Amino acid sequence: MTRRAPVKDINEDDLVIGTPKKAAAGLEAVVVALDRGIAQAGVGRTARALLRLNQRNGTDCPGCAWPESTGHRKTAEFCENGAKAVAEENTLRTVGAEFWAEHSLADLADKTEYWLGNQGRISQPVVVRPGDSHYSPIAWEDAFALIGEKIRATTPDRTVFYTSGRTANETAFLYQLFARSIGTNNLPDCSNMCHESSGSALNPTIGIGKGTVSLDDIHVAELILVVGQNPGTNHPRMLSALADCKANGGKIVAVNPLPEAGLFNFKDPQTPTGLVGHGVPLADEYLQIKVGGDLALFQALGHLLLEEEARVPGSVVDQEFIDANTDGIEAYRAARAEIDWVETEKATGLSRLEISVVAKMLAASNATIICWALGLTQQPHSVNTLKEIINLLLLQGNFGKPGAGACPVRGHSNVQGDRTMGVWEKPKEAMLAALDAEFGIVSPREHGLDSVNTVEAFENDDVDVFVSMGGNFALACSDTDALEAAMQRVGLTVHISTKPNRSHVMHGVTSLILPTLGRTDTDDKHPAGRQVLSVEDSMSMVHSTQGRLAPVSEHLLAEPVIVARMARATLGDDHPVDWKEMAEDYDVIRDHIARVLPGFDDFNKRLRDKNGFVLPNPPRDTRSFATDIGRARFTVSPLEYLTPPPGHLILQTMRSHDQYNTTFYGLDDRYRGIKDGRRVILIHADDVTELGFADRDLVDVISTFGGQERRADKFRLVVYPTPRGCAAAYFPEANQLMHRELVARESNTPGYKAMSVRFIPHEDRLPVLS
């Protein structure tokens, strides 16, 4: 039975501001999760999907990349937002020919992402040709022929292949192989916009761009720092792991500009106390740091640890580990010998006493994990900030022992796996050589475009064909207005998608939307029978994922099949790569992967183990560091923090609790007490007064960078317990304010946590008549 989509769109006048919550999850999370699922797909289909979610031989959650236990798994092995993600994919609402005929492109351009995403699953391929006012159906064969024609008509450097972290390993491997067979490394992905800074900091310091802990390490850590991260909304299953850590005697320090509910108390809905009791207190200490002040904090902690070591030699520093495994300790000691506490307190917004309390906790811990997410990765000095984290961990030997290590918490479910599979604009020679030997091709060596470079290429009219494997590029990137205008000048845009989104509306001169199977859908239209895919979680565990629900349309194709058919239509059947064979049997793809990528030996056999397998991780496994010098590096960075111009605040973007990346599940950010509206600016009460405004005033927001301004109109100021001088707004509404040039050095990650903004009173402005 097809279910009707909601007709009503967001009305910001309906905004409701309540009291922020002090605990995450609980009974309300269960009720909301079930309600969303039933509204989208009914009771039976929702139950079948959720009971398979994150189970062995089941479906990997299409939400976050938090790992599953290798031991006993609960019947409900998912969180509220995972259930929402499944409900979105599992919906019985469909978008077919009637929808596209009813809604012109001009009409859809006025709809919000919330309305577009709620219309349902795209049920057949559609096309817009030059001059068309509507999308209309197209046969699959004709769509692939059109793609091949357009790619062959341009040069490889003017073709771009974007991907989101939803893409499974097998798809990602085929996708990068297709791009390199054409002759381009233009492979931007969502990692460029989130954890690229992590890889840029970790690779030169510890020799691997991934985290170095397991889920078991989280459970047995003596101390965990959760920094620049909101697990209650973005990684809710992490709360269970943190609760286990507390039950085992561990301590937790939360470092975040906003006092998020999930940092303080977890009501586990699968326990009686979680449903009706007070829950589990999480953070033993909370540091409400200024946005961008983390580098100063970690430098101060390093200074205090070295100071304590000098007072009581052998009490803090693991000198044996340092001597055996690291380089640069003397320069680091010299740099941290002195500290300017006045400047440090100004940078962090924290007192010397607050920082000293956490330093004592670090000094007393024999096993420390530092977790972080986008709060640290999206500022100009992000890479140096993360290198300071590595300094702290190296100082106490927190690698290669239980309960210790670095833990960048990835977002989208397979963003780490996509990178492992070769979706990267800067591939290493070893991988390219292995690809060439395996497939008889000649991969390009010149580095390609990342996401920010792609935005620039769009604006400079340097892109002729843009293929997007999932994702919502137009809405996820900076310089929104300029990007959307530029995307509409591209010759061909191809979107491999499950549901309508903004990028489909801001389309190229010719545009295709190719509907694909989702993670929960059965993939059984193959000569070899039902297929299974694989993913890699945040902690380097590779495991299978297999959908078990009937697709909502017979016209959907699996992502590997779409990639293979695009490749055949472009390169011809005499190309040396066996595209058809791989599309028919994914075991063939995995056999190729096993011969190309280190750590994937016997891929097919090991994938069928009940828990999958863990990829090699030298810092964790053997306390070895595969840097260019064969040792881990201490580094020295100057003190740096964000200083807005007079009359400005530092603005960070954030997600609501009813949101995943650019997908809006609903309009209830209940942990922050905000409902039925999204164009808000969270701001400290004293800043509102000092800037000459009042709580709930409507303002237009102007950002300043490099002598240029960007503007976003009609936001409502909401007094909230933020640090002085800092403010917060939802992503992607605030992306209009992001200058393309505001990026993290070294990683080129957009500075979504570093915008300098000011406000002017909002006045309704009449349109300019031409």
Side-chain angles (χ1 to χ4, degrees):
M1 178 183 69
T2 300
R3 292 177 174 261
R4 292 185 60 84
V7 176
K8 185 180 178 183
D9 206 341
I10 300 175
N11 182 351
E12 295 291 340
D13 292 336
D14 294 338
L15 177 70
V16 175
I17 306 296
T19 303
K21 301 281 188 181
K22 296 182 178 180
L27 179 61
E28 189 171 8
V30 177
V31 173
V32 171
L34 293 177
D35 179 68
R36 298 290 174 80
I38 293 168
Q40 292 272 10
V43 175
R45 190 171 167 92
T46 296
R48 290 195 300 275
L50 293 181
L51 289 174
R52 297 292 305 169
L53 196 60
N54 292 328
Q55 302 293 341
R56 295 182 178 91
N57 300 316
T59 305
D60 182 71
C61 180
C64 79
W66 190 254
E68 289 79 50
S69 170
T70 57
H72 172 73
R73 296 191 185 179
K74 302 171 183 175
T75 301
E77 192 68 39
F78 55 86
C79 66
E80 174 192 347
N81 277 0
K84 291 175 185 175
V86 167
E88 287 283 307
E89 181 175 286
N90 191 30
T91 184
L92 289 173
R93 301 169 186 168
T94 56
V95 173
E98 300 83 3
F99 173 88
W100 301 112
E102 179 182 352
H103 297 285
S104 69
L105 290 164
D107 174 34
L108 295 175
D110 290 333
K111 304 297 186 184
T112 69
E113 188 65 20
Y114 169 71
W115 187 92
L116 290 170
N118 267 289
Q119 300 313 297
R121 292 285 297 272
I122 302 167
S123 62
Q124 62 190 118
V126 291
V127 64
V128 164
R129 300 183 189 273
D132 286 354
S133 59
H134 294 67
Y135 276 102
S136 60
I138 184 174
W140 276 109
E141 202 64 39
D142 293 338
F144 292 128
L146 178 58
I147 293 168
E149 172 192 337
K150 294 293 187 181
I151 293 177
R152 289 192 302 273
T154 187
T155 55
D157 61 299
R158 296 180 64 86
T159 304
V160 178
F161 294 88
Y162 175 73
T163 186
S164 80
R166 186 198 70 200
T167 306
N169 287 329
E170 293 76 10
T171 307
F173 186 79
L174 285 188
Y175 199 58
Q176 61 83 29
L177 180 61
F178 177 32
R180 291 178 174 125
S181 295
I182 290 171
T184 183
N185 284 316
N186 290 342
L187 283 158
D189 73 331
C190 60
S191 185
N192 296 149
M193 293 183 276
C194 55
H195 270 289
E196 198 69 49
S197 295
S198 298
S200 296
L202 296 178
N203 273 306
T205 55
I206 61 171
I208 192 170
K210 304 178 181 182
T212 66
V213 301
S214 68
L215 186 57
D216 288 339
D217 288 322
I218 299 286
H219 297 156
V220 301
E222 293 185 17
L223 177 65
I224 298 177
L225 273 64
V226 181
V227 191
Q229 185 191 358
N230 178 16
T233 287
N234 299 329
H235 314 93
R237 285 188 298 131
M238 183 179 178
L239 299 179
S240 296
L242 295 177
D244 287 342
C245 174
K246 292 299 295 284
N248 290 328
K251 295 185 179 299
I252 296 171
V253 174
V255 184
N256 206 64
L258 298 178
E260 307 286 16
L263 298 173
F264 300 107
N265 190 286
F266 171 50
K267 294 186 174 182
D268 187 345
Q270 300 195 56
T271 65
T273 55
L275 284 174
V276 297
H278 296 292
V280 177
L282 292 179
D284 296 276
E285 294 292 334
Y286 169 55
L287 301 183
Q288 186 171 31
I289 196 165
K290 283 187 175 181
V291 177
D294 305 274
L295 185 147
L297 169 65
F298 292 122
Q299 289 183 344
L301 291 172
H303 166 78
L304 290 171
L305 289 183
L306 289 171
E307 190 175 69
E308 179 64 15
E309 173 69 12
R311 191 179 70 83
V312 185
S315 64
V316 176
V317 173
D318 189 339
Q319 195 63 46
E320 182 179 354
F321 169 83
I322 291 171
D323 291 343
N325 298 286
T326 74
D327 179 74
I329 181 61
E330 293 308 322
Y332 178 72
R333 285 182 186 274
R336 299 284 80 82
E338 302 293 335
I339 189 170
D340 184 334
W341 279 108
V342 173
E343 194 76 0
T344 298
E345 291 182 348
K346 177 182 176 184
T348 61
L350 304 169
S351 70
R352 181 173 180 173
L353 176 61
E354 288 177 295
I355 297 173
S356 297
V357 168
V358 174
K360 289 178 182 177
M361 296 172 72
L362 279 166
S365 172
N366 293 308
T368 298
I369 293 173
I370 302 181
C371 304
W372 70 88
L374 274 58
L376 295 194
T377 66
Q378 296 180 328
Q379 295 155 1
H381 54 287
S382 286
V383 175
N384 284 350
T385 298
L386 298 174
K387 287 180 178 179
E388 292 291 355
I389 286 178
I390 298 304
N391 288 337
L392 281 184
L393 294 171
L394 291 174
L395 198 61
Q396 295 186 277
N398 279 308
F399 288 97
K401 64 181 183 181
C407 185
V409 182
R410 310 285 178 173
H412 223 152
S413 63
N414 198 44
V415 64
Q416 185 161 296
D418 286 357
R419 181 57 55 84
T420 300
M421 290 295 117
V423 175
W424 195 25
E425 75 282 355
K426 295 180 286 191
K428 295 182 178 179
E429 174 58 29
M431 179 187 177
L432 296 180
L435 276 178
D436 293 353
E438 177 71 9
F439 292 103
I441 63 174
V442 179
S443 299
R445 265 53 181 181
E446 182 180 353
H447 288 173
L449 302 176
D450 65 12
S451 292
V452 171
N453 297 147
T454 298
V455 173
E456 181 179 8
F458 273 127
E459 294 180 16
N460 293 336
D461 295 328
D462 289 336
V463 180
D464 290 329
V465 177
F466 177 72
V467 184
S468 181
M469 177 63 70
N472 187 356
F473 196 79
L475 211 59
C477 292
S478 49
D479 263 347
T480 307
D481 294 341
L483 173 59
E484 289 188 348
M487 287 185 72
Q488 295 176 77
R489 300 194 297 268
V490 174
L492 174 67
T493 52
V494 180
H495 300 281
I496 302 165
S497 305
T498 57
K499 306 183 78 174
N501 66 46
R502 180 71 177 176
S503 294
H504 302 157
V505 182
M506 299 295 112
H507 59 84
V509 177
T510 301
S511 180
L512 289 165
I513 305 176
L514 308 182
T516 185
L517 296 176
R519 194 70 62 80
T520 58
D521 294 325
T522 299
D523 182 6
D524 55 6
K525 294 182 179 179
H526 300 266
R530 181 174 293 179
Q531 298 296 300
V532 62
L533 293 164
S534 68
V535 294
E536 178 187 351
D537 64 32
S538 258
M539 296 177 183
S540 302
M541 173 69 76
V542 177
H543 58 88
S544 65
T545 177
Q546 187 175 39
R548 298 297 177 93
L549 298 178
V552 294
S553 168
E554 63 180 356
H555 300 295
L556 309 185
L557 293 181
E559 288 179 341
V561 175
I562 293 174
V563 176
R565 291 184 66 178
M566 285 194 301
R568 291 175 63 195
T570 303
L571 300 167
D573 286 333
D574 58 348
H575 190 263
V577 177
D578 53 340
W579 303 107
K580 184 174 184 293
E581 187 179 2
M582 288 192 286
E584 290 178 347
D585 185 351
Y586 301 166
D587 278 2
V588 178
I589 305 175
R590 287 185 283 271
D591 284 339
H592 284 302
I593 292 171
R595 291 190 289 268
V596 170
L597 298 179
F600 285 89
D601 310 83
D602 296 321
F603 191 179
N604 277 305
K605 179 181 178 182
R606 293 162 72 203
L607 183 66
R608 286 163 171 81
D609 181 88
K610 66 177 183 178
N611 290 316
F613 60 96
V614 183
L615 292 174
N617 190 300
R620 179 193 64 208
D621 302 338
T622 60
R623 273 195 162 182
S624 57
F625 302 92
T627 64
D628 58 339
I629 58 173
R631 299 169 74 86
R633 274 193 178 89
F634 282 92
T635 55
V636 174
S637 302
L639 176 61
E640 185 176 354
Y641 55 97
L642 301 173
T643 53
H648 291 65
L649 304 177
I650 295 296
L651 179 75
Q652 66 163 334
T653 59
M654 61 184 182
R655 301 179 195 161
S656 81
H657 189 62
D658 254 357
Q659 176 182 357
Y660 192 78
N661 293 341
T662 57
T663 299
F664 306 156
Y665 303 137
L667 299 176
D668 187 0
D669 193 7
R670 71 172 187 274
Y671 291 162
R672 299 190 184 107
I674 300 169
K675 186 175 182 180
D676 292 333
R678 292 185 53 87
R679 297 184 74 83
V680 297
I681 302 285
L682 306 188
I683 182 173
H684 194 281
D686 293 345
D687 285 328
V688 170
T689 302
E690 186 175 297
L691 294 172
F693 294 97
D695 187 22
R696 314 299 167 86
D697 275 358
L698 278 176
V699 297
D700 297 336
V701 188
I702 298 172
S703 66
T704 302
F705 180 78
Q708 299 182 1
E709 294 184 344
R710 300 287 187 273
R711 178 172 177 146
D713 290 348
K714 203 172 183 181
F715 280 72
R716 193 173 299 277
L717 298 177
V718 175
V719 167
Y720 201 83
T722 69
R724 284 295 311 270
C726 303
Y730 291 125
F731 166 99
E733 283 81 0
N735 289 14
Q736 282 179 285
L737 300 165
M738 257 297 300
H739 298 243
R740 171 167 50 79
E741 297 84 359
L742 175 54
V743 296
R745 299 186 302 273
E746 299 180 58
S747 68
N748 212 32
T749 298
Y752 289 123
K753 308 294 189 290
M755 291 182 272
S756 293
V757 299
R758 71 179 193 274
F759 311 121
I760 59 174
H762 172 74
E763 297 180 4
D764 290 322
R765 295 182 292 169
L766 296 175
V768 177
L769 300 178
S770 58

